[in-house]
């Protein structure tokens, strides 16, 4: 049965015109004539049986259907381009691994260690993409993912890497030359939160036996890097994993405010699809990753679960 799939040329013409709301600018972007772009869009509308643009003289605006369709088409074209670039990076022997990682963990922990992997495994290339949430491996070309949580990702084999131990830290801009602070003093400062660890400060103050503290107040950030930046800037105090802020601690940009740390209710894992677990390239990467994880043991501080 013939599938109702428009031509890629028609979709690109429509997407460009929808982006610019101009056939002229769409034609310039695609290196086509205006009549060619208009013809592609007209053919697409005829195939769909739906009007995508309102046309008033030489001005075009999207219809309701056109607005909805343009968003999906743009995402599809972007995905095709991204997938094409990934495939173009493959050598004939397939010595490429596509790995996803949490944005900050990828930037601050994984990528700085990759030169060691390359030295030990010449000829293998590792592509790293940022993913903040879980996904279906079947819908991607990814071979594995470094994530935080529990080893309960359906259809995958998960390797435990290390726990997350959070340190209460702040910038000297905020706390001056004061050394370790009492929990009551920390409670008076602005608390910075990570969206994915909403109860971290509550658990920390509970461990410090300091009740009655409003731990909900303060701004929230969706990824670790923005939370680290906020703490560095003196915006407030944060609970952050030592392995992500070792440079800031060594340089004095951040100071540990208390020896009481908090072990998060979750750990870092590397997951890969069960059907790929025995792939030699992936097995080599997993073995190397486990070795690297052994160097990320939590600091020897007073830790509360």
């Amino acid at each position: 049965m013939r599938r109702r799939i428009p031509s890629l040329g028609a979709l690109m013409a429509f997407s460009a015109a929808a982006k610019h709301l101009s056939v002229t600018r769409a034609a310039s972007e695609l290196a086509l004539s205006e009549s060619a772009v208009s013809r592609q869009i007209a053919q697409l509308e005829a195939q769909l049986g739906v009007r995508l643009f309102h046309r008033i003289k030489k001005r075009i605006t999207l219809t309701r259907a056109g607005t909805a369709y343009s968003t999906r088409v743009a995402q599809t074209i972007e995905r095709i381009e991204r997938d094409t670039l990934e495939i173009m990076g493959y050598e004939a022997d397939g010595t490429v691994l596509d790995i996803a990682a949490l944005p900050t963990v990828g930037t601050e922990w994984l990528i700085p260690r990759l030169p060691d992997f390359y030295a030990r495994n010449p000829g293998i290339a590792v592509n790293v993409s940022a993913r903040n949430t879980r996904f279906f491996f079947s819908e991607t070309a990814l071979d594995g993912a470094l994530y935080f949580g529990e080893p309960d990702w359906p259809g995958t084999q998960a390797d435990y890497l290390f726990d997350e131990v959070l340190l209460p830290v702040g910038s000297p801009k905020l706390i001056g030359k004061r050394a370790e602070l009492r929990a009551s003093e920390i409670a008076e400062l602005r608390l910075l939160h990570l969206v994915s660890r909403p109860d971290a400060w509550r658990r920390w103050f509970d461990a410090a036996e300091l009740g009655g503290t409003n731990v909900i107040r303060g701004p929230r950030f969706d990824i670790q890097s923005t939370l680290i930046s906020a703490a560095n800037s003196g915006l407030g105090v944060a609970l952050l994993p030592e392995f992500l802020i070792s440079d800031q601690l060594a340089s004095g940009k951040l100071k540990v405010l208390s020896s009481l740390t908090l072990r998060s209710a979750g750990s870092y894992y590397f997951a890969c699809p069960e059907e790929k677990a025995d792939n030699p390239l992936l097995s080599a990467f997993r073995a190397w990753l486990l070795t690297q994880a052994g160097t990320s043991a939590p600091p020897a501080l007073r830790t509360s679960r």
Side-chain angles (χ1 to χ4, degrees):
M1 184 177 71
R2 181 181 175 86
R3 293 185 174 183
R4 295 184 178 180
I5 302 176
S7 72
L8 184 58
L11 292 175
M12 291 182 67
F14 163 66
S15 184
K19 179 174 66 175
H20 298 296
L21 291 179
S22 166
V23 172
T24 302
R25 293 179 65 185
S28 177
E29 177 181 314
L30 299 173
L32 296 172
S33 66
E34 292 184 35
S35 61
V37 171
S38 296
R39 187 166 56 253
Q40 292 273 26
I41 294 173
Q43 290 173 355
L44 179 62
E45 289 180 318
Q47 182 177 358
L48 298 177
V50 174
R51 217 163 90 183
L52 300 174
F53 290 103
H54 296 297
R55 296 169 176 83
I56 304 175
K57 296 183 179 180
K58 292 186 177 182
R59 181 171 173 267
I60 60 172
T61 59
L62 287 164
T63 64
R64 183 176 178 183
T67 299
Y69 196 44
S70 66
T71 300
R72 299 174 188 177
V73 168
Q75 291 172 343
T76 299
I77 292 174
E78 182 181 351
R79 185 168 62 250
I80 291 172
E81 182 179 25
R82 184 175 63 249
D83 292 345
T84 300
L85 290 173
E86 288 180 0
I87 294 301
M88 289 172 66
Y90 275 69
E91 301 291 343
D93 56 0
T95 54
V96 174
L97 287 174
D98 291 289
I99 303 299
L102 295 163
T104 311
V105 176
T107 301
E108 300 295 332
W109 188 85
L110 177 59
I111 291 176
R113 287 168 164 76
L114 282 180
D116 179 77
F117 178 79
Y118 285 147
R120 297 172 185 272
N121 301 272
I124 300 178
V126 180
N127 298 330
V128 181
S129 61
R131 293 291 183 104
N132 213 23
T133 58
R134 297 192 192 187
F135 51 87
F136 292 108
F137 276 100
S138 60
E139 298 178 356
T140 74
L142 293 168
D143 299 303
L146 201 163
Y147 73 101
F148 177 83
E150 301 294 337
D152 56 358
W153 195 330
T156 71
Q157 181 169 313
D159 299 318
Y160 166 82
L161 298 178
F162 46 82
D163 293 330
E164 180 178 77
V165 176
L166 303 176
L167 312 178
V169 298
S171 167
K173 298 176 186 176
L174 179 67
I175 62 175
K177 296 182 179 180
R178 287 183 289 176
E180 183 169 327
L181 304 184
R182 297 189 301 274
S184 58
E185 293 177 302
I186 294 176
E188 296 174 357
L189 300 172
R190 182 184 291 114
L191 304 179
L192 308 178
H193 304 265
L194 186 66
V195 170
S196 59
R197 317 284 193 277
D199 65 340
W201 274 119
R202 178 190 59 76
R203 293 178 58 223
W204 190 87
F205 281 112
D206 285 348
E209 300 180 349
L210 188 67
T213 303
N214 180 6
V215 298
I216 303 300
R217 61 184 173 80
R220 285 158 173 74
F221 304 87
D222 61 349
I223 58 175
Q224 295 272 22
S225 60
T226 53
L227 180 59
I228 293 171
S229 180
N232 280 335
S233 300
L235 190 61
V237 294
L239 287 167
L240 290 167
E242 189 273 343
F243 78 95
L244 291 181
I245 56 171
S246 56
D247 289 345
Q248 289 90 340
L249 293 175
S251 67
K253 290 182 179 178
L254 288 176
K255 294 174 62 175
V256 178
L257 306 181
S258 170
S259 61
L260 177 62
T261 65
L262 180 72
R263 192 178 301 278
S264 293
S267 301
Y268 288 92
Y269 295 88
F270 180 76
C272 65
E274 291 176 340
E275 63 273 16
K276 291 186 178 182
D278 294 329
N279 177 282
L281 295 182
L282 190 56
S283 294
F285 183 79
R286 290 169 59 200
W288 171 82
L289 199 60
L290 289 171
T291 300
Q292 294 298 311
T295 67
S296 299
L301 298 173
R302 184 164 57 97
T303 303
S304 175
R305 279 193 171 274

